[in-house]
Amino acid sequence: MKLLFLGDLVGRTGRTIVIDQLPALVEEQQLDFVVVNGENSASGFGITEAILQDVLDAGADVVTTGNHVWDQRDTLVYIERQDRLLRPVNYPKGTPGRGAHLYTARNGAQVMVANVMGRVYMDALDDPFAAIERVVNECPLGDVADAVIIDVHAEATSEKQAMGHMLDGRVSLVVGTHTHVPTADHQILPGGTAYMTDAGMCGCYDSVLGMDKEEPVNRFQRKIPGNRFTPATGDATISGVAVETDDRTGLALRVAPVRIGGHLEPVLPDFWAA
């Protein structure tokens, strides 16, 4: 099975390049399942229902989020009717929406996707490790699910790595989001789980984490806020990770970074070649 995970969409620039190019990418590369982190897609803060629908219509099967999930207040309402939008699974009981769900891929396979938020230098939610342990136990790979994808929205690389090793051999992919910088550590862990500490962002990399450079630089220099952060509007790059899994076990056969267009050097996995 061919899986694609795209990192955080940032503003109009990030969502436009994904909405424009994802349909052709799905068709040309014969992708079976696509997950996109969309938590910064609405002017850099949260996601509206209209944007969510545009991303889904473009070919995303699931949209994950993170600490900005509630920045658009309407999300608290519409998330209940949108089962393809996930918020972190370790929010307290009674929080609107869902943090994990089982979906049907284009090839008919069953894919479990879970979104979890770390606690190191982040808002203190429930224990992410215990929450994901419950998800994996309830929907085991190779039994209930043909593939399992975990989006770990976290600041600390150590926390993401620890999650990857805890889940090694039990899920198809553990991929980090939130820091907006693609890491160079894509690998298949010893037990067969594909791993990457951060998928990066879909947005303008001539920026500070996708935001126009002037205000972040000003705040570091002057230590006082000035204007509101606004997404950068330069050339956009699609950034993420591609995984091919074994249809028998659901574990990873190959993993590679994906970069298309914009500021970074383009990368498209050789194993996706037609």
PDB file of all heavy atoms in Angstrom, residues 191-215:
ATOM      1  N   GLY A 191      11.834  -2.882  14.220  1.00  0.00           N
ATOM      2  CA  GLY A 191      10.651  -3.732  14.191  1.00  0.00           C
ATOM      3  C   GLY A 191       9.807  -3.588  12.943  1.00  0.00           C
ATOM      4  O   GLY A 191       8.814  -4.306  12.778  1.00  0.00           O
ATOM      5  N   GLY A 192      10.167  -2.637  12.056  1.00  0.00           N
ATOM      6  CA  GLY A 192       9.448  -2.497  10.801  1.00  0.00           C
ATOM      7  C   GLY A 192       8.536  -1.298  10.682  1.00  0.00           C
ATOM      8  O   GLY A 192       7.802  -1.167   9.698  1.00  0.00           O
ATOM      9  N   THR A 193       8.577  -0.383  11.643  1.00  0.00           N
ATOM     10  CA  THR A 193       7.758   0.828  11.597  1.00  0.00           C
ATOM     11  C   THR A 193       8.521   1.970  10.934  1.00  0.00           C
ATOM     12  O   THR A 193       9.666   2.245  11.313  1.00  0.00           O
ATOM     13  CB  THR A 193       7.334   1.253  13.018  1.00  0.00           C
ATOM     14  OG1 THR A 193       6.452   0.265  13.561  1.00  0.00           O
ATOM     15  CG2 THR A 193       6.641   2.607  13.024  1.00  0.00           C
ATOM     16  N   ALA A 194       7.905   2.620   9.952  1.00  0.00           N
ATOM     17  CA  ALA A 194       8.502   3.801   9.335  1.00  0.00           C
ATOM     18  C   ALA A 194       8.430   4.961  10.318  1.00  0.00           C
ATOM     19  O   ALA A 194       7.432   5.123  11.039  1.00  0.00           O
ATOM     20  CB  ALA A 194       7.775   4.160   8.048  1.00  0.00           C
ATOM     21  N   TYR A 195       9.483   5.778  10.325  1.00  0.00           N
ATOM     22  CA  TYR A 195       9.556   6.863  11.311  1.00  0.00           C
ATOM     23  C   TYR A 195      10.228   8.083  10.694  1.00  0.00           C
ATOM     24  O   TYR A 195      11.186   7.974   9.931  1.00  0.00           O
ATOM     25  CB  TYR A 195      10.350   6.418  12.543  1.00  0.00           C
ATOM     26  CG  TYR A 195      10.570   7.543  13.526  1.00  0.00           C
ATOM     27  CD1 TYR A 195       9.584   7.882  14.458  1.00  0.00           C
ATOM     28  CD2 TYR A 195      11.735   8.297  13.496  1.00  0.00           C
ATOM     29  CE1 TYR A 195       9.771   8.932  15.336  1.00  0.00           C
ATOM     30  CE2 TYR A 195      11.930   9.355  14.372  1.00  0.00           C
ATOM     31  CZ  TYR A 195      10.946   9.669  15.284  1.00  0.00           C
ATOM     32  OH  TYR A 195      11.116  10.728  16.149  1.00  0.00           O
ATOM     33  N   MET A 196       9.707   9.272  11.070  1.00  0.00           N
ATOM     34  CA  MET A 196      10.349  10.548  10.736  1.00  0.00           C
ATOM     35  C   MET A 196       9.979  11.536  11.831  1.00  0.00           C
ATOM     36  O   MET A 196       8.801  11.685  12.180  1.00  0.00           O
ATOM     37  CB  MET A 196       9.871  11.050   9.375  1.00  0.00           C
ATOM     38  CG  MET A 196      10.619  12.275   8.857  1.00  0.00           C
ATOM     39  SD  MET A 196      10.091  12.657   7.152  1.00  0.00           S
ATOM     40  CE  MET A 196      11.156  14.042   6.764  1.00  0.00           C
ATOM     41  N   THR A 197      10.974  12.211  12.408  1.00  0.00           N
ATOM     42  CA  THR A 197      10.721  13.072  13.563  1.00  0.00           C
ATOM     43  C   THR A 197       9.812  14.241  13.221  1.00  0.00           C
ATOM     44  O   THR A 197       8.956  14.606  14.022  1.00  0.00           O
ATOM     45  CB  THR A 197      12.048  13.581  14.155  1.00  0.00           C
ATOM     46  OG1 THR A 197      12.800  12.447  14.621  1.00  0.00           O
ATOM     47  CG2 THR A 197      11.812  14.511  15.327  1.00  0.00           C
ATOM     48  N   ASP A 198       9.969  14.840  12.064  1.00  0.00           N
ATOM     49  CA  ASP A 198       9.024  15.884  11.651  1.00  0.00           C
ATOM     50  C   ASP A 198       8.895  15.917  10.140  1.00  0.00           C
ATOM     51  O   ASP A 198       9.893  15.933   9.419  1.00  0.00           O
ATOM     52  CB  ASP A 198       9.429  17.271  12.158  1.00  0.00           C
ATOM     53  CG  ASP A 198       8.229  18.209  12.215  1.00  0.00           C
ATOM     54  OD1 ASP A 198       7.782  18.665  11.146  1.00  0.00           O
ATOM     55  OD2 ASP A 198       7.721  18.471  13.317  1.00  0.00           O
ATOM     56  N   ALA A 199       7.653  15.932   9.675  1.00  0.00           N
ATOM     57  CA  ALA A 199       7.371  15.938   8.240  1.00  0.00           C
ATOM     58  C   ALA A 199       7.618  17.294   7.602  1.00  0.00           C
ATOM     59  O   ALA A 199       7.617  17.413   6.379  1.00  0.00           O
ATOM     60  CB  ALA A 199       5.923  15.523   7.998  1.00  0.00           C
ATOM     61  N   GLY A 200       7.822  18.318   8.412  1.00  0.00           N
ATOM     62  CA  GLY A 200       7.954  19.662   7.877  1.00  0.00           C
ATOM     63  C   GLY A 200       6.598  20.290   7.638  1.00  0.00           C
ATOM     64  O   GLY A 200       5.580  19.821   8.146  1.00  0.00           O
ATOM     65  N   MET A 201       6.562  21.361   6.862  1.00  0.00           N
ATOM     66  CA  MET A 201       5.302  22.063   6.599  1.00  0.00           C
ATOM     67  C   MET A 201       5.070  22.165   5.104  1.00  0.00           C
ATOM     68  O   MET A 201       5.988  22.053   4.290  1.00  0.00           O
ATOM     69  CB  MET A 201       5.312  23.456   7.213  1.00  0.00           C
ATOM     70  CG  MET A 201       6.291  24.388   6.540  1.00  0.00           C
ATOM     71  SD  MET A 201       6.190  26.083   7.136  1.00  0.00           S
ATOM     72  CE  MET A 201       7.429  26.867   6.093  1.00  0.00           C
ATOM     73  N   CYS A 202       3.843  22.410   4.747  1.00  0.00           N
ATOM     74  CA  CYS A 202       3.480  22.797   3.391  1.00  0.00           C
ATOM     75  C   CYS A 202       3.229  24.299   3.425  1.00  0.00           C
ATOM     76  O   CYS A 202       2.230  24.762   3.997  1.00  0.00           O
ATOM     77  CB  CYS A 202       2.244  22.039   2.919  1.00  0.00           C
ATOM     78  SG  CYS A 202       2.493  20.259   2.808  1.00  0.00           S
ATOM     79  N   GLY A 203       4.142  25.044   2.892  1.00  0.00           N
ATOM     80  CA  GLY A 203       4.054  26.497   2.951  1.00  0.00           C
ATOM     81  C   GLY A 203       5.314  27.113   2.389  1.00  0.00           C
ATOM     82  O   GLY A 203       6.112  26.446   1.726  1.00  0.00           O
ATOM     83  N   CYS A 204       5.516  28.388   2.654  1.00  0.00           N
ATOM     84  CA  CYS A 204       6.680  29.119   2.167  1.00  0.00           C
ATOM     85  C   CYS A 204       7.833  28.975   3.152  1.00  0.00           C
ATOM     86  O   CYS A 204       7.728  29.416   4.306  1.00  0.00           O
ATOM     87  CB  CYS A 204       6.330  30.592   1.971  1.00  0.00           C
ATOM     88  SG  CYS A 204       7.759  31.607   1.515  1.00  0.00           S
ATOM     89  N   TYR A 205       8.939  28.382   2.702  1.00  0.00           N
ATOM     90  CA  TYR A 205      10.088  28.191   3.584  1.00  0.00           C
ATOM     91  C   TYR A 205      10.987  29.419   3.664  1.00  0.00           C
ATOM     92  O   TYR A 205      11.917  29.452   4.482  1.00  0.00           O
ATOM     93  CB  TYR A 205      10.888  26.965   3.145  1.00  0.00           C
ATOM     94  CG  TYR A 205      10.298  25.678   3.667  1.00  0.00           C
ATOM     95  CD1 TYR A 205       9.247  25.061   3.009  1.00  0.00           C
ATOM     96  CD2 TYR A 205      10.761  25.098   4.844  1.00  0.00           C
ATOM     97  CE1 TYR A 205       8.684  23.899   3.495  1.00  0.00           C
ATOM     98  CE2 TYR A 205      10.206  23.934   5.346  1.00  0.00           C
ATOM     99  CZ  TYR A 205       9.169  23.333   4.662  1.00  0.00           C
ATOM    100  OH  TYR A 205       8.609  22.176   5.160  1.00  0.00           O
ATOM    101  N   ASP A 206      10.732  30.448   2.857  1.00  0.00           N
ATOM    102  CA  ASP A 206      11.427  31.724   3.007  1.00  0.00           C
ATOM    103  C   ASP A 206      10.663  32.516   4.057  1.00  0.00           C
ATOM    104  O   ASP A 206       9.990  33.516   3.769  1.00  0.00           O
ATOM    105  CB  ASP A 206      11.468  32.470   1.673  1.00  0.00           C
ATOM    106  CG  ASP A 206      12.277  33.757   1.752  1.00  0.00           C
ATOM    107  OD1 ASP A 206      13.076  33.891   2.701  1.00  0.00           O
ATOM    108  OD2 ASP A 206      12.088  34.621   0.877  1.00  0.00           O
ATOM    109  N   SER A 207      10.763  32.057   5.300  1.00  0.00           N
ATOM    110  CA  SER A 207       9.871  32.518   6.369  1.00  0.00           C
ATOM    111  C   SER A 207      10.428  32.078   7.707  1.00  0.00           C
ATOM    112  O   SER A 207      11.488  31.454   7.783  1.00  0.00           O
ATOM    113  CB  SER A 207       8.485  31.891   6.176  1.00  0.00           C
ATOM    114  OG  SER A 207       8.565  30.469   6.367  1.00  0.00           O
ATOM    115  N   VAL A 208       9.710  32.377   8.759  1.00  0.00           N
ATOM    116  CA  VAL A 208       9.972  31.798  10.076  1.00  0.00           C
ATOM    117  C   VAL A 208       8.808  30.865  10.379  1.00  0.00           C
ATOM    118  O   VAL A 208       7.698  31.303  10.716  1.00  0.00           O
ATOM    119  CB  VAL A 208      10.120  32.871  11.169  1.00  0.00           C
ATOM    120  CG1 VAL A 208      10.290  32.217  12.546  1.00  0.00           C
ATOM    121  CG2 VAL A 208      11.313  33.771  10.869  1.00  0.00           C
ATOM    122  N   LEU A 209       9.028  29.564  10.161  1.00  0.00           N
ATOM    123  CA  LEU A 209       8.006  28.533  10.378  1.00  0.00           C
ATOM    124  C   LEU A 209       6.732  28.800   9.583  1.00  0.00           C
ATOM    125  O   LEU A 209       5.619  28.524  10.035  1.00  0.00           O
ATOM    126  CB  LEU A 209       7.682  28.387  11.869  1.00  0.00           C
ATOM    127  CG  LEU A 209       8.870  28.071  12.773  1.00  0.00           C
ATOM    128  CD1 LEU A 209       8.403  27.855  14.209  1.00  0.00           C
ATOM    129  CD2 LEU A 209       9.661  26.876  12.277  1.00  0.00           C
ATOM    130  N   GLY A 210       6.895  29.380   8.395  1.00  0.00           N
ATOM    131  CA  GLY A 210       5.758  29.645   7.526  1.00  0.00           C
ATOM    132  C   GLY A 210       5.155  31.018   7.691  1.00  0.00           C
ATOM    133  O   GLY A 210       4.267  31.404   6.929  1.00  0.00           O
ATOM    134  N   MET A 211       5.628  31.763   8.676  1.00  0.00           N
ATOM    135  CA  MET A 211       5.112  33.113   8.918  1.00  0.00           C
ATOM    136  C   MET A 211       6.046  34.158   8.305  1.00  0.00           C
ATOM    137  O   MET A 211       7.259  33.950   8.220  1.00  0.00           O
ATOM    138  CB  MET A 211       4.974  33.366  10.423  1.00  0.00           C
ATOM    139  CG  MET A 211       3.953  32.467  11.089  1.00  0.00           C
ATOM    140  SD  MET A 211       2.275  32.788  10.484  1.00  0.00           S
ATOM    141  CE  MET A 211       1.372  31.449  11.252  1.00  0.00           C
ATOM    142  N   ASP A 212       5.452  35.273   7.895  1.00  0.00           N
ATOM    143  CA  ASP A 212       6.242  36.385   7.378  1.00  0.00           C
ATOM    144  C   ASP A 212       7.355  36.720   8.364  1.00  0.00           C
ATOM    145  O   ASP A 212       7.140  36.782   9.574  1.00  0.00           O
ATOM    146  CB  ASP A 212       5.341  37.600   7.153  1.00  0.00           C
ATOM    147  CG  ASP A 212       6.089  38.740   6.505  1.00  0.00           C
ATOM    148  OD1 ASP A 212       6.339  38.667   5.302  1.00  0.00           O
ATOM    149  OD2 ASP A 212       6.437  39.688   7.233  1.00  0.00           O
ATOM    150  N   LYS A 213       8.567  36.943   7.861  1.00  0.00           N
ATOM    151  CA  LYS A 213       9.756  37.007   8.723  1.00  0.00           C
ATOM    152  C   LYS A 213       9.809  38.220   9.648  1.00  0.00           C
ATOM    153  O   LYS A 213      10.374  38.148  10.741  1.00  0.00           O
ATOM    154  CB  LYS A 213      11.007  37.007   7.833  1.00  0.00           C
ATOM    155  CG  LYS A 213      11.219  35.725   7.067  1.00  0.00           C
ATOM    156  CD  LYS A 213      12.405  35.811   6.127  1.00  0.00           C
ATOM    157  CE  LYS A 213      12.091  36.669   4.916  1.00  0.00           C
ATOM    158  NZ  LYS A 213      13.181  36.608   3.893  1.00  0.00           N
ATOM    159  N   GLU A 214       9.223  39.318   9.262  1.00  0.00           N
ATOM    160  CA  GLU A 214       9.452  40.580   9.967  1.00  0.00           C
ATOM    161  C   GLU A 214       9.013  40.531  11.429  1.00  0.00           C
ATOM    162  O   GLU A 214       9.778  40.921  12.328  1.00  0.00           O
ATOM    163  CB  GLU A 214       8.725  41.718   9.250  1.00  0.00           C
ATOM    164  CG  GLU A 214       8.972  43.076   9.896  1.00  0.00           C
ATOM    165  CD  GLU A 214       8.315  44.217   9.130  1.00  0.00           C
ATOM    166  OE1 GLU A 214       7.763  43.960   8.032  1.00  0.00           O
ATOM    167  OE2 GLU A 214       8.349  45.353   9.627  1.00  0.00           O
ATOM    168  N   GLU A 215       7.804  40.070  11.696  1.00  0.00           N
ATOM    169  CA  GLU A 215       7.303  40.105  13.068  1.00  0.00           C
ATOM    170  C   GLU A 215       8.010  39.109  13.989  1.00  0.00           C
ATOM    171  O   GLU A 215       8.372  39.474  15.115  1.00  0.00           O
ATOM    172  CB  GLU A 215       5.785  39.882  13.097  1.00  0.00           C
ATOM    173  CG  GLU A 215       5.167  39.933  14.495  1.00  0.00           C
ATOM    174  CD  GLU A 215       5.433  41.239  15.248  1.00  0.00           C
ATOM    175  OE1 GLU A 215       5.731  42.271  14.597  1.00  0.00           O
ATOM    176  OE2 GLU A 215       5.353  41.226  16.485  1.00  0.00           O
TER     177      GLU A 215
END
